[in-house]
Amino acid sequence: MSWWNSILVVDDDLDLLRAYKEALELDGHTVVLARDGDEAMRLLNQGLRPALILLDLRMPRMDAWEFRARQRADPALASIPVIVLYALCAGRDAMSALGVEGFLEKPVDLDVLLRAVAPYLTHGGWDVHPQ
């Protein structure tokens, strides 16, 4: 279950998950969904290796901070890039402690989302959206 060129989207809002999935798939990407950090970590521990993780900041069971701590502690997962999706900022220090590649404020404009994920994904060895 490597899915090396997929996007793992982690969010507890089912409507947002569906919207992200539809937009990303229409843009040609393979998408895997998880309802919280715990489910996402299970998928990763089962061998999923996405090109990018879109991670909601606040979720039940396992939020972004706990997820990132576990991800960074596992050498097999630590290098997977993460972009955090947030509705309410948790403060500059708390947000930067996540050590992620970027942040997108919800509701995320779909064009902004597609531009944000493009640098992390390839299509047949070539960038999906060349610079």
Side-chain angles (χ1 to χ4, degrees), residues 8-14 17 32-44 53-68 70:
L8 173 59
V9 183
V10 188
D11 199 308
D12 60 320
D13 185 319
L14 189 56
L17 276 179
V32 179
L33 303 177
R35 295 290 305 270
D36 59 36
D38 188 54
E39 184 179 347
M41 193 54 65
R42 275 197 313 273
L43 289 167
L44 293 168
I53 299 171
L54 295 176
L55 181 67
D56 186 21
L57 186 64
R58 299 184 188 275
M59 298 171 286
R61 294 199 301 172
M62 186 187 300
D63 64 15
W65 289 276
E66 185 179 350
F67 176 87
R68 286 291 288 155
R70 290 185 186 190

Side-chain angles (χ1 to χ4, degrees), residues 20 84-89 103-109 112:
Y20 297 143
V84 166
L85 309 167
Y86 69 96
L88 297 171
C89 184
F103 297 92
L104 295 175
E105 187 173 5
K106 294 178 181 180
V108 180
D109 179 85
V112 171

Side-chain angles (χ1 to χ4, degrees), residues 1-11 16-17 19-35 40 43-44 48-56 67 80-85 104 110 112-123 128-129:
M1 184 202 300
S2 70
W3 293 32
W4 64 272
N5 201 33
S6 63
I7 303 169
L8 173 59
V9 183
V10 188
D11 199 308
L16 285 177
L17 276 179
Y20 297 143
K21 180 177 174 63
E22 182 177 332
L24 292 165
E25 286 181 344
L26 282 172
D27 201 46
H29 306 298
T30 301
V31 180
V32 179
L33 303 177
R35 295 290 305 270
L43 289 167
L44 293 168
L48 178 66
R49 295 296 180 268
L52 176 67
I53 299 171
L54 295 176
L55 181 67
D56 186 21
F67 176 87
I80 301 172
V82 175
I83 295 175
V84 166
L85 309 167
L104 295 175
L110 295 180
V112 171
L113 177 68
L114 296 176
R115 282 195 305 274
V117 303
Y120 302 96
L121 301 162
T122 59
H123 182 69
V128 173
H129 300 283

